[in-house]
Amino acid sequence: MIKYLIRRIIMLIPVMIGVSLVTFSLIYIVPGDAVEVIVGERASEEIREKAIEELGLNKPFHQQYLSYMSNVLKGNLGKSYINNKSIKESIMERFPITFKLTLYSFAISVIVGIFVGVVSAVKQNTVIDSIVRGTTLLGVSTPVMFSSLLIIYIFGVWLKVMPVSGIGDGSIKYFLLPSLVLGLNSAVFTARLTRSCMLEVIRQDYIRTARSKGIAEKIVIFKHAMRNAMIPISTNLIMSFGYLLTGSVITETIFGLPGLGSETVRAVFQRDIPAVMGYFLFQAVIFVTFNLLVDISYALINPRIRFN
Amino acid sequence: MEKTQLMNKSQKKEPEKKNKSNNPWIIAWRRLLRDKTAVFGLYIIIFLIFIAVFAPILSPYHPIEDFNLSEAFQGPSMKHWFGTDWMGRDILSRVLYGSRISLTVGLASRVVTLSIGITLGALAGYFRGKVDMVIMRLAEIMDAFPNFLFAIAISVAIGPGLYTVFFALGFVGWSGMARLIRGQVMLYRESEFVEAARSLGASNSRIIFKEILPNCMAPVIISTTMGISSAIMAEASLSFLGLGAQPPTPTWGSMMNFGRQYIWTAPYMIIFPGLAIVLTVYGFNLFGDGLRDVLDPRMKD
Amino acid sequence: MSEKLLEVKDLKTYFPIQNGLFGRSTKYVKAVDGVSFDVYKGETLGLVGESGCGKSTTGRSIMRLIEPTEGKIIFDGKDISSLNKKQMLKIRREMQMIFQDPFSSLNPRKMVKEIIGAAFEIHMSSMRKKEREEEVAKLLEVVGLNPDYITRYPHEFSGGQRQRIGIARSLALKPKLIIADEPVSALDVSIQSQVLNLLNKLQKQFSLTYIFIAHDLSVVRHLSDRVGVMYLGKIVELTDANRLYTKPAHPYTKALLSAIPIPEIGVKRERIILEGDVPSPINPPNGCRFHTRCPKCMDICKEKEPDFKDIGDKHYVACHLVNG
Amino acid sequence: GKSNEPSKEAGKTSTESAEKATTNETESSSGEPKYGGIFRSYLGNDLKTLDPAFATAEREGKMVSLLYDSLVKFDVNGKVIPSLAKSWETPDDSTLIFHLVDNAKFHNGNPFTAQDVKYSFERILDPEVGSPRTWVFEKVKGAKDFMEGKSDSVEGIEVSDDYTVKITLEQPFAPFLSMLGMPAAHIVDKNEIEKYPDQKDYAFNPVGTGPFKFVEYSNGDKFVIEANEDYFSGRPYIDGVNYRIIQDESTAVAEFEAGNLDELDIPTADIDRLKNNPAYAPYILTSNTFWNFYIGLTFNKEPFNDIRVRKAFCYAIDREAIINTVKRNAGVVSNGPIPPGLDGYREGLNPYPYNIDKAKELLAEAGYSEENPCSFELWHSDSKTNVALLEPIQAMLNQAGFKAKLVAMEWNSYKAAVRAGEAQAFYLSWGADYPDAENYLYPLFHSSMSGGGGNETRYNNPEFDKIIEQAQRTSDYDERIKLYQKAEDITIEDAARLWLYLSKEWLLYRPEVKGAKIYRIFNADKLLDIWLDR
Amino acid sequence: MEKKEEMLSVKDLRTYFYTHDGLVPAVDGISFNIKKGETLCVVGESGCGKSVTAMSILKLVPTPPGKYVSGEILFKGEDLLKKSHEEMRMIRGNDIAMIFQEPMTSLNPVFTVGNQICETVMLHQQLNKKEAMEVAVEMLRKVGIPLPEKRVREYPHQLSGGMRQRVMIAMALSCNPILLIADEPTTALDVTIQAQILDLMRKMKEETGSSIMFITHDLGVVAEMADRVVVMYAGKIVEQGSAEEIFNDPRHPYTNGLLKSIPRLQGKRKEDLHVIEGMVPSMYNLPKGCKFNPRCEHATDICKSKEPPLIAIDSNNEERKCACWLLEKRRLYK
Ligand SMILES: Nc1ncnc2c1ncn2[C@@H]1O[C@H](COP(=O)(O)OP(=O)(O)OP(=O)(O)O)[C@@H](O)[C@H]1O
Ligand SMILES: Nc1ncnc2c1ncn2[C@@H]1O[C@H](COP(=O)(O)OP(=O)(O)OP(=O)(O)O)[C@@H](O)[C@H]1O
Ligand SMILES: [Mg+2]
Ligand SMILES: [Mg+2]
């Protein structure tokens, strides 16, 4: 197990190098002059050259890349071209917001999703199942921007019971609506996943065995079937947490949450190169970490792997 | 003697009777047609294709040229069923034309995904070893990027536009497709019919293309159908951020994007394209769900 | 006996287990670990053994569907273990395989004419489509299927019929040697006899040589002239079919024979029930591989591997008991 | 000591203001002002800096002027009035002597003196600093030498004593006094700036003399300032301002309607609705602004290097119709660079009325036809409101035989590209840095201003250059205005830019907000009038 | 023949599946009984309804698509088909236990084997966890698993196929069931392992005296295990009788053909085997009349039109039954 972990972590190195290389090259093909952004209007040639020199933009690609990466390894992600803010600080400031949003959405997603999924699996081919399938599918098909606007209108403007946007003092009520949108959206996926996993598990021989032992149906479903279905479900859930962490761009934008997602979009749009690099690297690390967590959790909850 | 004759007769009759019907795809198709929800999804898709093809005939107005500033911001009426936008264009016509973009993006981006995914996935799954190692590392690198952000970055990098959307949305999906194909290829690579082909001396390319890939198609079709719907959704999101096809091209996402500033005054500008997206994605999802039931052996009961 | 068609000398096939930090293989599944036998023209050599003992791997290694790790395969006087792809292609016409699973051995997306026709497509590319279909129809008739079935898909056939299609495919190129890997074990009893009879008939009709792999001893006996018994990657006994069943020399063979349930009432037999399971081929036991389960295990069995020796009348056995 | 007395006359004041609002006053009702309360407002985007030397955009300029002061400021109508300079003299046409207030203090407690003025102005010119606003002080005597490193200080900025500064210009330059109200002329404290080895790090650590002190800024979230109790001309009524950052206009509307904002810059789309809502109507303020929007046609680029094409372009667009529908109440058609409200503006000027036939004719003359349409790209910064305006323009152009393609770009890269002269046509606006018609002519059209200065179109007409330079030197007011008008005519004849509209500002306040005013110059409002009745 | 007490008696059981592709009469009117302490073997080709019969007894057939269309299953005099869910649960695992074909998949992979045995014991014998675990260890020891104290804590995947099947047996026997239903318990195993398991089952039966319903398609296993045999074909019983009667005097052409088509260890090699022509009919599309008629070499007109009833063919022995129109002419083809 530990050996496997170490191996997995070592395997991450080429991936992270690849990620940084891809980001770095992407930046290279982005049109627009970084220097222009930094030095601003009416800058003289000297100022421009000075800036180029400072940023090392006159060096060849690989040198720039290497110096950037050596800085990264030292924990220095550089500063934003646009507002001169340390990227690391920006991440520290914004990631918690995204994380909170993700956490709340995730909670909603898990609670609602698994419950609905199990119910519809157990009641397969009944009216309840059809309703669940129909609505979840409709849920999957509704763009977040559409549901976000709708929910803002209903709760924020019409009923005036919820804040419309922003994080205010950072209390939970500011996260409620966006979490609801994001959470329900992902709950729909969780429900579908749960349903199909449960259906698959319920068909298995060992469920028949359990029933043949005279075990109550509830225990068959919630102990025997769930435990097995949870293996794929929970790994998927962890992954979905990873997706939520990085996938809340639109929600953050619409709800005006100063999270990392909307900030990344800002950086990309403004060609804030060090910011883009930093955010992408950070999110890649997060993502890769979640991948790793998936593997570990898979090993932890699946005895078949645990003992290998 | 009599008995054998009888048997032969009945055997001979059979293939004629179900002449065209024995193709596994057609059988799957027929099973699909028995699934009411899938058929409903199919109707929606056909309806959309119909609209996309005949948009010029169906649209009461031209989506771009027929603007009339004096008729701006009209709510739904007999003249303009879905109302008009800020420059007096007919929203219905724009929504109808928008189906063209959405469907094209859905399909074109899948073509990109499929061509990259199938090639790399098949190579990795079939040859294993170093090839597999390299391709899978590439896929992992791809996966490390949050998809949507990556699509945004690509769009910004090569400049927004319809072709960019095809590419960006197609490209971000390849790793998933490659994994899928790889898994399938690895599964079938060990199967006895591939072994049989190999023992006949079939070349690698023959085995990949004639023996293995046709069998991988079921999950590919399912994931492509589902992929179309998520591509349509992603296109709408990109357009919503101003990165999709550029104005005046009517796309649902950009219509919503522009409608957003009028949401409190002219909500119909955002509702109709929004509903169009919901309907389209719903159609593809319904259909994809049905396909999964029919084609995915695990789901068969 | 007639001349040798195939000589297998000390064949070893190991599968690496991916392990270690950098994916280097440090362990191997020793699926086939030093197997030698000859096959004579026109005969049927049976291979029996429990699941996982390496029967299929032996067959596939001979076909070079898996590259053997070591050893020689001499087919029709030619050493084929080092031929390149092109040279191998010619040999392939002469050796064919029939597979176990009638469901997975036929490509579900192809029609019968394509499945069987593939042989002609690959080896006789000049053949026209029409001719090809005629050939396929003929083959179907040979294996007792309606020639009209050429446009059908595998799923339209029952298990027995599918197995016939598999047989037709293997016959397409008129091979000299057919390796049948458990061709009847997935079939129902009432169907099994149909296929066995067919195999018998075809052997006579086309003077084929078979390597017949099975785990059912009575089926193997029924079809084979000589039978080899495999245990954990090795052949432990090889001799004439009648002799093996009447005078088994190896304790494993004896146990195996006694374990077969016989569909007759009132036949009292002495039963040798082996303890435990077959050990893993990753870490086969030292000495004689069977010693962990052998009821007559001696000290030497635990240390020294017995030679595979002729104990007379071409009866080969690998056992210290017989040696001593 | 903040006071938060409950209102006594809430009902009365609100009816009063309702009356005024319907007449489009630029000022909301007053009453007996009260101290206290946090004003809740918002910003449409992140701030890039709060350093006066770098605050070039409107949003930053506005915020900077809350934290800092300059020697002069503008009143509601854009007239120059004293600020840190309590008075000034002009002994001759090129000399200004400022008498400074003696009770102003920086937020850190340091007293404000004439030395700070010299330091702040020289800092703008210092090439090491790299301010984009050097041109504000370029006309000061000795500025060139200082910038080129030939001298250690600017000769024309002299500190006579702690509270007197004398500024000498190379030659008479009439608008200079108003330019001292620009963000770049705000006074900073040397001690604060020198804390930072990299001056860029000063950006979000502002210390000025202004009516508000910096509390906190976080990107995408909020900008918080609090009242400066020791403000030299008396502290503001409000205790502070909480600016949230709300990028989406419709979200801002929702926030306002949900009661979470005290102020709403009404988006064009919502003006009609809110104006007609009796609950809001009394609290709406509106005013014309000096922001003049135009489409620039690049002179040295195909196809607009041909005057016929430029004229065709101008004739092809029915600005009246577009502004009236798309901009609704948020803009009035503009016909030339000089906006109404500045001296020199001429009523009834309409050089290019909508005339599609004429446009087609001109295009045909220039050699374009249906098969060979005049195609070009119209660049703009990426915003929905921009597209909303440009789409009908594009449609009209295409009707006239152009083939226009809209290209949206992110603001920074857009500005950079436009400044570099890469765009064929582009959509931008110009607002007064200082209330003088010259500000709409010299930077936009003078050949020396090509590129970043303001003349992105690379307009180059020696005759124009001559006239405007002459005007700058002319001290006779009427004479100068005439010259401005003459210069304006030349630019119009050359169809260098198509002037589209002048924006109109619409602000909506909560009923509790009293004393709000709309200032015509963007950075003139120091929030000293506003008070909260809650 | 001594008369034994009847323990389970199935009467005219019909279990049908209503699928998308049509009706599957998987079990179509079968009647048989199991007596105390006897082993009844059910043989028949794949898909003929053996498992469905077994599952019907425990009411484990998934409904839908399955449905118990008619019949009675009398166990200790009570009709199981009429019992409620709760009542059935108390019978399952306690009075009637079941072992399935696939030892690899029939154990829950996420629980230790000890846990899985305990569960039954705790449920039916009201023992606490500790006592139950002791029972589990004891049971594992009984079925011949070495080091049972260690094995109880292991997961199914850590055991070999033969071991898992022993665990299944241990689990089934842990509550001393009166009836043990074994659905092809050795089909997936190797011969040497099969021998171990069969041996074990015989021993356990001797010890506990419970009845066994043993489902298989291997006639060799039948010969070894059975007291009585039921032969099924396409959802129906075609013949039943004692093991000797079936093997030594098969009356139905199907049973007869089956017995003749097996290669025997002492038979002649390479000689053509007896063949039952044709193939097992599809359950969706069963022939009219006798289900076996298309493959029967003696089929007559009546066979093609009318279904033969399962009737006693020995007036002295009501347990000896066969369903064939040609019974009288039996000697003709024997
Ligand atoms: N491709 C492979 N990679 C790794 N191990 C393999 C591979 N193929 C077979 N093995 C292992 O080699 C051993 C022998 O396998 P083989 O298939 O030859 O057995 P067999 O005798 O044919 O068994 P069966 O009766 O189950 O078909 C087994 O332990 C198997 O797990
Ligand atoms: N859940 C189900 N839905 C539909 N049909 C079913 C279902 N379960 C069984 N059947 C059908 O019922 C028939 C009898 O099946 P059963 O499992 O009893 O056969 P069997 O005799 O046990 O065969 P085997 O020897 O292969 O186990 C088969 O044709 C099968 O297709
Ligand atoms: Mg095998
Ligand atoms: Mg069964």
Side-chain angles (χ1 to χ4, degrees), chain D residues 231-289:
Chain D
Y231 191 52
F232 72 94
S233 68
R235 62 156 283 183
Y237 295 120
I238 48 178
D239 286 341
V241 189
N242 240 333
Y243 288 100
R244 283 173 50 195
I245 290 160
I246 302 176
Q247 305 203 346
D248 192 61
E249 289 180 336
S250 39
T251 308
V253 175
E255 286 284 10
F256 183 87
E257 295 199 50
N260 302 328
L261 291 175
D262 290 326
E263 179 183 39
L264 175 71
D265 185 354
I266 308 177
T268 313
D270 294 283
I271 293 173
D272 271 349
R273 183 174 65 92
L274 298 178
K275 204 173 67 178
N276 296 329
N277 184 338
Y280 295 128
Y283 311 107
I284 292 177
L285 296 186
T286 181
S287 155
N288 293 320
T289 68

Side-chain angles (χ1 to χ4, degrees), chain C residues 56 100 181-182:
Chain C
S56 304
Q100 168 174 11
D181 189 359
E182 313 210 23

